[in-house]
Amino acid sequence: MRRLLPLLLLLGAVAEARESGFALMSPETQAMQRDDDANPAMLWVEEGRALWESAGCSGCHGDVAGMRGVAARYPAFDAAGGGPVDLAGRIAQCQEARQHRMPFARESGEALALAALVGLQSRGMPISPPEDPRLAPALARGEALYRERRGQLDLSCGQCHDENAGRRLAGSPIPEAHPTGYPLYRLEWQGMGSLQRRLRNCMTGVRSEPYAYGAPEYVAIELFLMRRAAGMALETPAVRP
Amino acid sequence: MPSVRAALILLLLAGAARAEEGLPSLTGEPGDPDRGRAIVLSRQRGLCLLCHAGPFPEERFQGDLGPSLAGAGARLSEGQLRLRLVDGRRLNPETIMPSYYRTEGLVRVGPAWQGRPILAAGEIEDVVAFLLTLRD
């Protein structure tokens, strides 16, 4: 029963309304995300638009509007790697394999700008994880990582985000951890960050050693979180406190 | 076979009963409630207010993942408080309250924290001494 319980809770949560972290924000921060002129993340989107041309993405892909729906179905199976690749990883692959150039580093302004631009093309669309059986092992790994207690504080993701979502950790309401808005502008960072940056924050928060950017563990967790959030609307580029 | 089971159950019950009695002092020295108060309020050391509220009106941002610390010293004995700080999992294996005096059985602890409990023995005694002053 103890093993079944999280699953039942999760199914329960899926059946009931799930809630984006957006719902927990102050009206001012919500307004900032709603208004493209006030949303600081749009600066990265604009940089992404310039890079789309100057870095040569448009040469193969044409107008970026053709990327509609793409961000909603990542991570996807990558035959070359034999496992899932996230959107940032796919962009880096294009640069490396097709353009024969050094990809922009993860979390660099350029990488975040391109991911934000591509993500924006799917804003409002439902998260639609691919039904690909080859993703099953990574999905299971992601769920196991989500449920594993870790760090000196010995807490799992699920203990905060399933069992205590909506309660207050000191001053902050704990969101349900849906990856709906990434990359996003976080007021505490005073900058843009990917989902992996967010996961690192939660890991160091429990005094656990984070993985290196791009690690398969993060991609597996993202795969699980996207499955858990299937059907929820993408908000990229979001704002968070 | 049934007698083995009965013996096991007895052993388990004895363990639980002993656990409920609490733990003896970790240092043999009385703790200092003032130092304990500073630890409990500190967001870097005790971390208690991440999850608990308490009778600390000057503190903003108190959590509500656990019960209020108000009255803890009236509800629980010294040994019971110490047991909950040292390793609350002995009472509730699913508890989210970290074990403040445990180093084994942890996964991927960050290098800065490896091999160290969250609080040292003397700090635990200070926190226990402070919690005992929270009578209502």
Side-chain angles (χ1 to χ4, degrees):
Chain A
M1 190 57 198
R2 191 171 285 160
R3 301 211 57 189
L4 252 177
L5 201 60
L7 188 73
L8 290 176
L9 285 176
L10 180 57
L11 289 177
V14 171
E16 291 161 25
R18 288 158 303 167
E19 200 173 68
S20 157
F22 178 86
L24 297 170
M25 305 199 304
S26 71
E28 295 76 34
T29 318
Q30 289 186 343
M32 190 186 279
Q33 175 173 325
R34 278 206 191 94
D35 177 1
D36 282 351
D37 293 329
N39 182 345
M42 292 311 280
L43 296 173
W44 276 261
V45 169
E46 287 320 312
E47 186 190 345
R49 243 182 251 293
L51 283 168
W52 186 258
E53 302 300 328
S54 66
C57 316
S58 59
C60 285
H61 296 289
D63 193 318
V64 69
M67 291 283 138
R68 188 170 157 73
V70 171
R73 55 180 162 78
Y74 268 76
F77 188 77
D78 170 42
V85 63
D86 64 354
L87 184 59
R90 171 67 77 214
I91 294 172
Q93 263 181 10
C94 271
Q95 295 189 285
E96 221 168 355
R98 305 217 179 112
Q99 299 183 298
H100 308 291
R101 53 156 296 163
M102 271 287 284
F104 299 129
R106 283 218 179 228
E107 289 316 287
S108 65
E110 292 95 338
L112 292 168
L114 281 173
L117 174 71
V118 174
L120 173 67
Q121 309 310 310
S122 303
R123 188 163 68 177
M125 294 179 70
I127 292 178
S128 317
E131 295 292 338
D132 188 333
R134 295 170 300 177
L135 291 170
L139 187 60
R141 176 96 201 282
E143 172 155 19
L145 289 165
Y146 181 85
R147 309 224 175 273
E148 180 174 46
R149 300 177 74 142
R150 65 179 62 234
Q152 193 193 37
L153 304 190
D154 198 29
L155 288 166
S156 73
C157 316
Q159 283 180 306
C160 279
H161 292 293
D162 291 334
E163 295 167 26
N164 286 290
R167 299 222 175 94
R168 277 180 185 273
L169 186 70
S172 311
I174 301 179
E176 293 172 11
H178 297 302
T180 44
Y182 291 84
L184 54 70
Y185 186 90
R186 189 158 182 241
L187 301 176
E188 192 182 305
W189 294 332
Q190 295 189 31
M192 198 78 172
S194 70
L195 178 63
Q196 294 196 6
R197 183 169 180 192
R198 174 68 253 175
L199 301 185
R200 283 175 78 91
N201 274 203
C202 281
M203 287 180 184
T204 52
V206 298
R207 299 184 174 175
S208 148
E209 189 177 357
Y211 306 98
Y213 276 115
E217 284 85 356
Y218 288 136
V219 182
I221 294 175
E222 178 176 356
L223 195 64
F224 171 68
L225 292 178
M226 289 293 268
R227 176 66 54 140
R228 188 168 160 269
M232 295 180 76
L234 268 186
E235 302 164 45
T236 306
V239 177
R240 290 292 181 270
Chain B
M1 244 355 229
S3 64
V4 174
R5 258 190 68 189
L8 264 175
I9 289 172
L10 265 178
L11 256 177
L12 280 172
L13 285 177
R18 221 179 300 124
E20 198 35 65
E21 275 165 27
L23 290 178
S25 170
L26 301 176
T27 61
E29 308 274 322
D32 174 40
D34 291 335
R35 283 201 306 255
R37 183 176 206 277
I39 294 168
V40 166
L41 297 192
S42 158
R43 316 271 161 167
Q44 282 79 43
R45 291 166 71 203
L47 312 166
C48 314
L49 299 191
L50 282 183
C51 298
H52 293 279
F56 320 116
E58 72 282 16
E59 289 291 325
R60 297 176 67 205
F61 307 131
Q62 306 184 21
D64 64 3
L65 273 53
S68 167
L69 296 180
R75 284 194 297 278
L76 298 164
S77 71
E78 178 187 322
Q80 289 171 329
L81 287 168
R82 191 178 289 110
L83 173 61
R84 280 158 181 77
L85 281 164
V86 165
D87 191 1
R89 297 177 319 159
R90 294 187 212 168
L91 299 169
N92 169 15
E94 307 291 311
T95 188
I96 60 164
M97 176 154 158
S99 306
Y100 277 81
Y101 198 62
R102 174 164 69 95
T103 50
E104 79 292 353
L106 301 172
V107 174
R108 270 189 90 82
V109 176
W113 317 102
Q114 264 166 32
R116 301 204 275 130
I118 304 173
L119 292 177
E123 293 177 311
I124 302 262
E125 293 306 319
D126 293 341
V127 171
V128 170
F130 171 63
L131 292 176
L132 280 170
T133 69
L134 301 179
R135 309 295 304 175
D136 43 36

